Amino acid sequence: MPLRKPEALLSYLLLLMEHKYEFQYEVFNDISELSEDDAWLLTEAREVTEQAYAPYSNFHVGAVAILENGEVVAGTNQENASYPVGICAERVLLGSVATIHPDVPIKTIAVSYNSEEVKSDHPISPCGMCRQALLEYETRTKSPIRLILSGQEGKVYIIKTARFLLPFAFTSDELNK
Ligand code: THU
């Protein structure tokens, strides 16, 4: 340990105060490496991108959830001529789940996309606003949401809980609710 110089000692002490955030996720080369159930859900997400309304971005996103009670619910992004009015697939999905099956925990959500402009050969992950919405649903149902992320082909990421995607999250705990 280089403690001879005072500056070196100071940087060592600062290092001790630093904290690290990290999480683990699984990476698969393609859908063929998934379990039958996960492969089925991802295929549904890939297919439902067809239902997206994305005339402005041409970026069609599909999200499909399997719930604790076995029900399956899908969502796609719905854009608007007034751009900020558009909603991501994940939040369309969460709104539907919460309405059709209130308070039923979500086991897993698969997210995929399709675009005329970019290759759909790698996973995308939920935007910041959707991460906040996913975390709210996890907190509400006291149950982790597994995420399967992939394009129409190529690598698949599996993340154990949406919470991993939002460090230092602001949650209902802060509001004492
Ligand atoms: N989008 C989603 O629906 N989900 C994501 O995870 C990322 C982005 C949508 C929003 C917009 O309609 C289009 O993709 C381009 O950003």
Side-chain angles (χ1 to χ4, degrees):
M1 193 182 17
L3 287 184
R4 287 200 187 88
K5 292 190 187 139
E7 317 87 72
L9 178 60
L10 185 63
S11 53
Y12 177 69
L13 289 173
L14 284 174
L15 193 68
L16 286 180
M17 290 162 67
E18 280 174 6
H19 292 235
K20 186 154 69 174
Y21 174 82
E22 58 187 357
F23 73 93
Q24 286 174 334
Y25 60 101
E26 291 173 282
V27 181
F28 299 87
N29 284 317
D30 60 51
I31 195 170
S32 69
E33 295 181 0
L34 300 187
S35 71
E36 208 178 307
D37 287 355
D38 286 348
W40 180 83
L41 201 66
L42 176 55
T43 304
E44 291 291 304
R46 286 176 171 175
E47 284 175 11
V48 84
T49 57
E50 292 284 324
Q51 310 307 330
Y53 176 67
Y56 306 104
S57 70
N58 290 320
F59 196 81
H60 302 246
V61 184
V64 180
I66 176 116
L67 312 189
E68 217 50 90
N69 63 6
E71 295 287 339
V72 174
V73 181
T76 55
N77 55 331
Q78 300 296 317
E79 297 186 347
N80 193 284
S82 174
Y83 288 10
V85 176
I87 315 177
C88 294
E90 294 88 333
R91 275 174 297 129
V92 169
L93 168 66
L94 288 173
S96 298
V97 170
T99 306
I100 308 169
H101 306 285
D103 294 321
V104 177
I106 295 173
K107 275 196 346 202
T108 305
I109 295 178
V111 181
S112 189
Y113 64 101
N114 216 347
S115 165
E116 294 106 66
E117 291 164 31
V118 292
K119 267 197 111 185
S120 178
D121 60 359
H122 61 276
I124 56 160
S125 61
C127 78
M129 204 183 265
C130 289
R131 292 173 193 211
Q132 184 74 25
L134 288 161
L135 187 54
E136 184 78 25
Y137 202 83
E138 283 193 342
T139 313
R140 175 177 172 181
T141 56
K142 298 183 182 59
S143 182
I145 300 175
R146 250 176 106 241
L147 298 172
I148 302 175
L149 310 174
S150 184
Q152 294 293 328
E153 58 181 20
K155 285 204 166 33
V156 182
Y157 295 166
I158 297 191
I159 301 172
K160 275 200 180 75
T161 161
R163 174 171 268 284
F164 286 172
L165 294 180
L166 200 60
F168 289 88
F170 183 81
T171 68
S172 55
D173 294 347
E174 311 296 343
L175 304 172
N176 224 358
K177 302 278 180 218

